[in-house]
Every structure is written in structure tokens, then in C-alpha cells.
């Protein structure tokens, strides 16, 4: 009997132990699964927080990104050309401190600094661009000037004053940014820094972008408040509008329409009448006679040649103080433009689509010639051609000799990139003396195209 009871007891004890171990195992597994599930969430959220998302109007981000989009301050620093920051909610601007303060409580202290100038890749100029501070506190100034539309903030410092850079680093990125972020929305332009002459020179163009007065921080003292703000300009590259990157597929032709809206009242082209029995197409020669480098040494001979081919010639010497509406009126009423590679060719933006542009390309600047102006001509549907000078037409021959690598193999010296010292030789030391026989052949082709354009468009 004892033996039987002992065996039964042992079986009972074993069953009890098995049940206890089973319960512990289930409980541990449950806790592990619960822990694993919960521990995955912070990692996912952390990944979401690291995403660089720009909050655009009429966009509906996935729920997984909603937390990131609703963050008070977001900065996208992924592009080589620019940084773009967003303040997604009410904000105070203190011009004296170059600081935006967010309104409302933030769970954590936030501070970002940004240089709103789209040449982030360039080490020479960026140290000269002032930082703007975006912060959640601790002190917020009272609002003196309220606004009911967002702010778009950028710098007109840096290379501003060079007409090429005014558009390459300013108005073309502004056009891209507006049509990327503020399409069909009103906004206030806030300029963090600009030369004193800049707001008045470009007043007509700026009013096409916004009906609100421009705020220039160095000229402003009261605090402003906005419902939100974007800081920085989007650039697609040198003199580029990439329609595939714009939600409404805007192009250079749309940019040209904007220029028309700003300057058309003063820029109507001449309409041919029956009295014009033998009209001649008008050609604008962009002169660099007083510039440093890339001047046409035999300019007077070239002018006589242009007239002989059949053009009426206007010598164009734009200055910083030249009223932009006058420049626009001249180019908009012309049929052709000729000039050596340089900032003045930026005025080709003012030519009507279908007009003729001839760019004289010195040695060593072939890449820049197309990137800066050939690309614009293509975008505006201009009839574009390049006159690439021969070695004998460059003044560098007399200084360095025909056997110099600078003259013979400019590409070999540029393999490592745009070396400032090398490019200064090509851009600032080099002048051109055009071969009149070669150039005449180029002008004759330009004349045929310009004549046809004039007959079709006046």
C-alpha cells in the first residue's frame, strides 16, 4: 500500500511541476512578445523623425510621417545647393536678432541655424551669408506687426550685384520655390540681407511674386508674426528650371511670362507697318569694353561687319544703375543678341521666344557657356548658336604662347574641377579678337534666322 501511494504522490508532484513550468513559459513568451512589439515602436518613430520631409500645401503625408510633419521646426539639409527649413505653426520674427521664435509649447527645446542662400556647396561665399536662428525659446518678443499669410525668407547677399547671380541665385530659385511650396497661395517675402539698391531695382519684378511689401531685416526693427514660415530657396542647378521636379510642370517659358507681367507696359515690340519697305532686324551687341576680361578687342570692326551683313546694331552696356524696364524694352523689341560669355548675356532672358542668340565662347569656358546661357536659350526656345573662338583669337596666346597647356589643353587643367586661379585666367585675363571672316559666316546664319523671326513677329 505504501509503495502504491508513493508512486501516486510522485506522479502528482511531477504533474504539478509540469503545469508550473508551462505557465512560466507562457507568461515569459507573452512578456517577450509584448516587449518586442513595444520596443519596435520607438525605433520606427525614431526613423520617422530622421526623415527630411518638407510640408507642402495640399499634401497629405502618410500616417507614419504625420508625427514628423507636425514638428514645429523641420530642416531639410539633404541637397548640395540649399537648405530649406519650415516653421509649421505661428512664429515671431525679431529682425534685430535675426531670429524666428515659435509660438506655443514644444516638448523639447529646438534650435536650428540656416543660411538661406542657394550656394551651399561654395566655401568661398557661404561664410559671408548671415545665419538665421529658428528656436522654440526661451524668450519670445511681443508681436508688433501681424501678418495673416506665411513668410518666405531668403538672402539677397552673396554675389548679388552681379546680374547673372541676381537671377541664378535669386529670382529663378524664387520662382521654383514659389511654385513648389506656395502655388496659388499668398505670402510675404522676407529678405534677410540685401544691398540698399536691391529692393528698388527689382521692385516691379518682386510685386509679381507677392502683393505684400518686402521686408528687409536690416532695414526693419519691429517684431513681426506669421502663421508659418519657409526659410531658404530651392535651386535646380545653374540657370535651370527642371519641370519634372515641379508639381505643376513650370518651365522657363512660364518664367518669361512672369517677366512680361512685370515689364510689358514699357516693353511692347515695334510692329511692322506698310511704310517699313525694307526693315532690318535689330541686333543687340552686349559690350564688355569696360569690363575686366572677355572684351572684344576689335569691337568697332565687328560692329561694321554686323551692319554690313544686314542688321541694325544697338551697343548695349548695362550698368548696375540701368533701369531694368529699359533693358527689358530693348531686348524684348530686338530680333537677335550677340555677346561674349559674361553676366550681360543674362539679359537674353528678355528676348522673345524664337529670337536669335549668338554666344561668343572664349577658350576654357565651354562648359560654363552652355550651363549658364545655352541652357536658358533652350528653355526659352531661342535660336541659339555658339561661336567658339580659335586659339589665335585669344589674347592668352601673346601672354602664355601657343605651346602653353593653358591655351592648347584647357580641359586638361579643369579635370579636377573649377579651380578659381585657373578660371581667373580664362575669365579675367582673356580678351578676344574675332576673326572677321569666320565670324561673318556665323553672322550670316544668324541674320537669316532673325529676318524670318522679324517678319513673323514684328
Amino acid at each position: 500500500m505504501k509503495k502504491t501511494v508513493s508512486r501516486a504522490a510522485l506522479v502528482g508532484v511531477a504533474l504539478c511541476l509540469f503545469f508550473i513550468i508551462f505557465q512560466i513559459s507562457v507568461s515569459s513568451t507573452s512578456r517577450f512578445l509584448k516587449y518586442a512589439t513595444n520596443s519596435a515602436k520607438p525605433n520606427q518613430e525614431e526613423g520617422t523623425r530622421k526623415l527630411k520631409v518638407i510640408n507642402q500645401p495640399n499634401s497629405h503625408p502618410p500616417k507614419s510621417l504625420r508625427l514628423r510633419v507636425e514638428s514645429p521646426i523641420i530642416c531639410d539639409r539633404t541637397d548640395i545647393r540649399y537648405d530649406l527649413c519650415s516653421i509649421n505653426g505661428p512664429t515671431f520674427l525679431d529682425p534685430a536678432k535675426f531670429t524666428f521664435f515659435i509660438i506655443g509649447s514644444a516638448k523639447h527645446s529646438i534650435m536650428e541655424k540656416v543660411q538661406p542662400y542657394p550656394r551651399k556647396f561654395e566655401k568661398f561665399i557661404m561664410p559671408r551669408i548671415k545665419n538665421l536662428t529658428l528656436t522654440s525659446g526661451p524668450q519670445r518678443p511681443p508681436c508688433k506687426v501681424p501678418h495673416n499669410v506665411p513668410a518666405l525668407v531668403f538672402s539677397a547677399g552673396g554675389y548679388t550685384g552681379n546680374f547673372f547671380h541676381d537671377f541664378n541665385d535669386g529670382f529663378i530659385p524664387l520662382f521654383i520655390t514659389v511654385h513648389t511650396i506656395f502655388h496659388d497661395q499668398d505670402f510675404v517675402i522676407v529678405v534677410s540681407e540685401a544691398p540698399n539698391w536691391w529692393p528698388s531695382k527689382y521692385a516691379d519684378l518682386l510685386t509679381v511674386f507677392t502683393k505684400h511689401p518686402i521686408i528687409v531685416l536690416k532695414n526693419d526693427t519691429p517684431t513681426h508674426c506669421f502663421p508659418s514660415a519657409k526659410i531658404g530657396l530651392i535651386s535646380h542647378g545653374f540657370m535651370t528650371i527642371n519641370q519634372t521636379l515641379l508639381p505643376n510642370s513650370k518651365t522657363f517659358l512660364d518664367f518669361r511670362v512672369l517677366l512680361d507681367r512685370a515689364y510689358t507696359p514699357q516693353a511692347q515690340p515695334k510692329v511692322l507697318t506698310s511704310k517699313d519697305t525694307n526693315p532690318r532686324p535689330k541686333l543687340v551687341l552686349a559690350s564688355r569694353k569696360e569690363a575686366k576680361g572677355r572684351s572684344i578687342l576689335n569691337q568697332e570692326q565687328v560692329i561694321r561687319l554686323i551692319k554690313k551683313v544686314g542688321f541694325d546694331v544697338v551697343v548695349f552696356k548695362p550698368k548696375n544703375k540701368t533701369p531694368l524696364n529699359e533693358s527689358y524694352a530693348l531686348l524684348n523689341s530686338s530680333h537677335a543678341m550677340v555677346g561674349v560669355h559674361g553676366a550681360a548675356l543674362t539679359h537674353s532672358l528678355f528676348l522673345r521666344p524664337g529670337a536669335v542668340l549668338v554666344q561668343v565662347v572664349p577658350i576654357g569656358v565651354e562648359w560654363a557657356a552652355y550651363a549658364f546661357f545655352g541652357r536658358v536659350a533652350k528653355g526659352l526656345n531661342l535660336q541659339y548658336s555658339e561661336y567658339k573662338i580659335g586659339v589665335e583669337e585669344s589674347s592668352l596666346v601673346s601672354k602664355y604662347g601657343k605651346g602653353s597647356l593653358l591655351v592648347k589643353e584647357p580641359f586638361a587643367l579643369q579635370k579636377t574641377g573649377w579651380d578659381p586661379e585657373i578660371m581667373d585666367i580664362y575669365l579675367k585675363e582673356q580678351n578676344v579678337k574675332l576673326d572677321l571672316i569666320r565670324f561673318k559666316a556665323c553672322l550670316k546664319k544668324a541674320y537669316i534666322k532673325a529676318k524670318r523671326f522679324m517678319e513673323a513677329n514684328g
Side-chain angles (χ1 to χ4, degrees), residues 8 61 173 175 210 223 230 247 319 361 387 389 393 448:
F175 177 84
T210 176
T223 55
K230 299 287 184 181
K319 307 288 185 182
V361 183
Y387 178 82
I389 71 168
E393 295 171 270
I448 293 170

Side-chain angles (χ1 to χ4, degrees), residues 137-427:
Q139 296 179 346
R140 302 182 185 96
C143 177
K144 300 293 186 182
V145 184
H147 303 270
N148 59 5
V149 295
L152 174 56
V153 189
F154 61 90
S155 171
Y159 292 121
T160 298
N162 176 296
F163 195 66
F164 167 79
H165 289 285
D166 290 355
F167 280 82
N168 181 70
D169 307 329
F171 290 107
I172 292 174
L174 176 59
F175 177 84
I176 292 169
T177 306
V178 168
H179 287 283
T180 302
I181 297 174
F182 291 107
H183 182 57
D184 291 333
Q185 280 194 325
D186 204 3
F187 58 93
V188 174
I189 289 178
V190 177
V191 183
S192 60
E193 50 192 335
N196 292 332
W197 52 262
W198 186 86
S200 58
K201 177 169 183 175
Y202 292 111
D204 292 336
L205 186 51
L206 288 165
T207 55
V208 175
F209 285 101
T210 176
K211 64 183 180 182
H212 300 279
I214 309 302
I215 299 171
V216 181
L217 293 193
K218 73 173 184 177
N219 301 332
D220 212 66
T221 52
T223 55
H224 297 256
C225 49
F226 303 92
S228 62
K230 299 287 184 181
I231 300 92
L233 293 178
I234 300 170
S235 171
H236 290 167
F238 293 119
M239 297 298 279
T240 301
I241 298 174
N242 187 340
Q243 67 183 92
T244 65
L245 299 178
L246 290 171
N248 45 8
S249 300
K250 295 291 183 179
T251 68
F252 259 115
L253 291 175
D254 295 294
F255 184 73
R256 182 61 171 70
V257 170
L258 182 143
L259 295 175
D260 272 336
R261 287 170 53 197
Y263 301 110
T264 290
Q266 306 92 353
Q268 294 296 338
K270 179 183 176 182
V271 178
L272 298 179
T273 67
S274 57
K275 294 180 181 179
D276 299 313
T277 56
N278 190 27
R280 293 160 61 92
K282 183 166 70 175
L283 182 146
V284 174
L285 176 65
S287 174
R288 293 183 57 86
K289 201 166 186 178
E290 299 173 11
K292 188 175 182 180
R294 288 161 286 147
S295 295
I296 299 176
L297 298 176
N298 56 341
Q299 180 170 295
E300 295 306 316
Q301 291 175 288
V302 169
I303 292 171
R304 287 195 293 269
L305 177 62
I306 294 172
K307 291 178 179 178
K308 187 176 180 180
V309 168
F311 287 102
D312 282 338
V313 185
V314 178
V315 178
F316 182 47
K317 299 179 183 178
K319 307 288 185 182
N320 283 338
K321 294 183 180 179
T322 302
L324 209 54
N325 60 344
E326 291 183 12
S327 299
Y328 192 90
L330 172 63
L331 273 298
N332 187 69
S333 62
S334 299
H335 309 101
M337 182 180 191
V338 172
V340 181
H341 173 79
L345 288 188
T346 310
H347 291 87
S348 61
L349 287 165
F350 302 163
L351 289 169
R352 288 172 286 166
V356 176
L357 174 63
V358 179
Q359 179 175 195
V360 177
V361 183
I363 61 175
V365 298
E366 289 85 353
W367 172 83
Y370 179 77
F372 297 172
F373 304 116
R375 191 175 286 156
V376 172
K378 183 178 179 181
L380 290 176
N381 292 342
L382 300 179
Q383 300 185 75
Y384 174 72
S385 62
E386 293 181 349
Y387 178 82
K388 295 181 180 179
I389 71 168
V391 170
E392 295 78 9
E393 295 171 270
S394 172
S395 65
L396 296 180
V397 172
S398 60
K399 186 172 184 178
Y400 294 97
K402 288 185 179 180
S404 168
L405 197 63
L406 273 167
V407 175
K408 287 173 55 181
E409 297 290 340
F411 289 112
L413 297 175
Q414 298 175 28
K415 284 182 179 178
T416 57
W418 187 284
D419 185 297
E421 293 183 4
I422 297 296
M423 293 316 300
D424 275 354
I425 294 174
Y426 292 124
L427 295 175

Side-chain angles (χ1 to χ4, degrees), residues 54-216:
I54 298 302
N55 187 19
Q56 298 182 8
N58 303 321
S59 64
H60 301 283
K63 290 182 179 179
S64 61
L65 301 182
R66 203 69 54 81
L67 175 64
R68 178 57 175 154
V69 171
E70 292 173 357
S71 177
I73 300 173
I74 306 165
C75 285
D76 182 345
R77 303 184 188 274
T78 58
D79 197 276
I80 192 174
R81 301 176 189 90
Y82 62 88
D83 291 335
L84 187 65
C85 292
S86 302
I87 300 178
N88 301 305
T91 179
F92 286 139
L93 165 62
D94 186 342
K97 294 182 179 179
F98 263 58
T99 300
F100 280 89
F101 297 88
I102 64 171
I103 301 173
S105 59
K107 293 182 179 180
H108 307 285
S109 178
I110 303 172
M111 178 179 288
E112 296 278 0
K113 290 185 179 292
V114 59
Q115 295 168 287
Y117 189 68
R119 294 185 75 91
K120 189 173 74 172
F121 60 87
E122 190 170 321
K123 295 180 181 179
F124 171 76
I125 202 64
M126 290 309 291
R128 306 182 185 191
I129 304 299
K130 290 184 179 180
N131 270 301
L132 281 166
T133 301
L134 322 179
T135 183
S136 58
Q139 296 179 346
R140 302 182 185 96
C143 177
K144 300 293 186 182
V145 184
H147 303 270
N148 59 5
V149 295
L152 174 56
V153 189
F154 61 90
S155 171
Y159 292 121
T160 298
N162 176 296
F163 195 66
F164 167 79
H165 289 285
D166 290 355
F167 280 82
N168 181 70
D169 307 329
F171 290 107
I172 292 174
L174 176 59
F175 177 84
I176 292 169
T177 306
V178 168
H179 287 283
T180 302
I181 297 174
F182 291 107
H183 182 57
D184 291 333
Q185 280 194 325
D186 204 3
F187 58 93
V188 174
I189 289 178
V190 177
V191 183
S192 60
E193 50 192 335
N196 292 332
W197 52 262
W198 186 86
S200 58
K201 177 169 183 175
Y202 292 111
D204 292 336
L205 186 51
L206 288 165
T207 55
V208 175
F209 285 101
T210 176
K211 64 183 180 182
H212 300 279
I214 309 302
I215 299 171
V216 181

